[in-house]
Amino acid sequence: MAVVRWDPFRDLNMLQDRMNRLFDEGRAWRNDEPAATTTWSPAVDIFETDGEIVVKAEVPGMERKDITLNLENNVLTLKGERRFAKETKDENYHRIERSYGTFSRSFSIPATVDEEKIRADYTEGVLKIVLPKKEQVKPKQIRIAE
């Protein structure tokens, strides 16, 4: 995996962005716009085995057509949109806690990934992206002659 430089102010900047979005969403709510279209980002797990890197993203309630995957310059980008479907009138809602709207997540992947063999599967709200490693990158065990 690529090494990502640590920025001590990144968390502070993220907090500021979230606070700005919170106040912007508050304005939208006062203007009788739907408060359900908030900014959200799916939770992602990334792990590595001997032969591949696996990315799992939680995107429940979405359809395959609403999710796009791109790989460019060793950056895997996951984009999509979860739409708010009104099932009843606004005044009948007591609480809306699920997040809706567009999202975009990008991840640096090592150059050792075989781009031609990447595959993705979407089952039960989990998007699984398998990034196989190139053959020459796998470690080769060398036997010591006796």
Side-chain angles (χ1 to χ4, degrees), residues 40-45 55-60 78 105 107 125-127:
W40 74 285
S41 185
V44 175
D45 293 337
V55 179
K56 288 186 175 183
E58 290 183 352
V59 285
L78 168 63
R105 300 281 313 260
F107 307 96
V126 177
L127 176 65

Side-chain angles (χ1 to χ4, degrees), residues 14-56:
M14 285 176 38
L15 177 63
Q16 182 179 8
D17 289 343
R18 287 180 181 167
M19 292 299 291
N20 287 340
R21 277 188 248 132
L22 176 69
F23 287 113
D24 288 341
E25 289 165 7
R27 270 189 232 112
W29 179 73
R30 279 185 238 109
N31 291 336
D32 292 333
E33 294 178 14
T37 55
T38 61
T39 303
W40 74 285
S41 185
V44 175
D45 293 337
I46 302 175
F47 60 91
E48 185 173 1
T49 65
D50 288 338
E52 57 194 19
I53 298 170
V54 179
V55 179
K56 288 186 175 183

